[in-house]
Amino acid sequence: AQSVTQLDSQVPVFEEAPVELRCNYSSSVSVYLFWYVQYPNQGLQLLLKYLSGSTLVKGINGFEAEFNKSQTSFHLRKPSVHISDTAEYFCAVGDQGGSEKLVFGKGTKLTVNP
Amino acid sequence: KAGVTQTPRYLIKTRGQQVTLSCSPISGHRSVSWYQQTPGQGLQFLFEYFSETQRNKGNFPGRFSGRQFSNSRSEMNVSTLELGDSALYLCASSTGLAGGPGGSDTQYFGPGTRLTVL
């Protein structure tokens, strides 16, 4: 069974600083990986996804992630954050059990301070 | 294109009652998945429907059920509500046609239904 571990439950940073949100996955097969963002009182919005090909994936709002198969990681990065990036971020893996089920990590709460 | 809509947005029920939540997917999407989100357990998969058939089911008791209609709209029902069922219930839609083993299609999430059980 696939699983996802987000190593930090909370990450506080100052505005314009770089940030990295860490995600490790466990899977015995090739994986599909996703990062979603959830703003307060809203649903989830896709930031980016890795299906195959280039290991560096660029997403919306200046975010990018790097797939590292040897370290089973898919860390999310942004070189300079804004106050508006304050939200909860979820890493997920596609289940590959014949449906569109996603297995999510517990989430990382990113707080950007002025 | 309109996004995923969920109704109602908020619900307050008492223990023992039952509840039905509704989800309208993006036009043309045939897959609808449901997730329960709680502070303690995070996001947990409930079930997925594709073309009116349940394609996958999470590890929830039989009190949780769902269905999908021919227009792809979906409902989920929770019977005999317990305090622990208080959660944000999220619906997600996708084309469901990504092919292969599944799990690669982009899911588009609705805003959720906040259920409070007293």
Side-chain angles (χ1 to χ4, degrees):
Chain A
Q2 285 142 321
S3 65
V4 175
T5 302
Q6 291 185 242
L7 297 157
D8 306 295
S9 59
Q10 296 188 62
V11 173
V13 294
F14 287 108
E15 195 173 17
E16 297 183 6
V19 70
E20 178 180 81
L21 306 183
R22 297 181 293 169
C23 171
N24 285 91
Y25 67 89
S26 171
S27 175
S28 58
V29 297
S30 59
V31 290
Y32 305 133
L33 293 160
F34 305 79
W35 275 100
Y36 282 85
V37 60
Q38 185 177 34
Y39 299 102
N41 299 316
Q42 294 187 29
L44 279 69
Q45 179 184 10
L46 179 71
L47 280 175
L48 48 80
K49 66 180 180 181
Y50 171 80
L51 301 183
S52 65
S54 173
T55 57
L56 183 62
V57 182
K58 293 192 182 296
I60 62 171
N61 301 341
F63 284 95
E64 63 181 33
E66 184 153 21
F67 171 64
N68 188 317
K69 187 175 181 179
S70 62
Q71 297 189 10
T72 60
S73 68
F74 189 56
H75 301 334
L76 181 70
R77 301 184 182 102
K78 187 170 182 179
S80 176
V81 294
H82 305 290
I83 299 285
S84 58
D85 292 322
T86 295
E88 191 148 24
Y89 293 78
F90 293 92
C91 182
V93 61
D95 184 57
Q96 297 197 43
S99 77
E100 301 305 327
K101 172 185 175 182
L102 292 173
V103 177
F104 285 91
K106 293 288 190 185
T108 298
K109 179 73 171 72
L110 173 66
T111 302
V112 182
N113 297 300
Chain B
K1 215 179 219 184
V4 178
T5 58
Q6 292 187 245
T7 56
R9 291 292 312 276
Y10 301 91
L11 264 179
I12 300 176
K13 293 285 187 179
T14 56
R15 279 180 299 174
Q17 287 186 309
Q18 76 164 21
V19 66
T20 299
L21 312 182
S22 179
C23 171
S24 293
I26 291 171
S27 177
H29 285 191
R30 292 164 62 183
S31 168
V32 173
S33 298
W34 289 89
Y35 293 84
Q36 182 195 64
Q37 185 177 23
T38 59
Q41 299 299 315
L43 282 152
Q44 293 187 286
F45 173 79
L46 281 156
F47 27 66
E48 186 221 359
Y49 286 87
F50 177 78
S51 291
E52 302 180 65
T53 300
Q54 188 181 85
R55 216 161 48 168
N56 201 347
K57 188 178 189 304
N59 190 24
F60 278 83
R63 301 185 295 106
F64 291 82
S65 62
R67 59 179 175 168
Q68 187 179 34
F69 301 96
S70 58
N71 61 358
S72 293
R73 190 177 70 85
S74 177
E75 289 181 348
M76 67 163 281
N77 185 77
V78 188
S79 63
T80 320
L81 283 166
E82 300 177 359
L83 294 178
D85 296 334
S86 293
L88 180 66
Y89 289 88
L90 292 164
C91 161
S93 79
S94 67
T95 63
L97 299 172
S104 65
D105 208 3
T106 295
Q107 304 285 308
Y108 295 85
F109 284 81
T113 294
R114 173 78 60 187
L115 172 65
T116 302
V117 182
L118 302 176

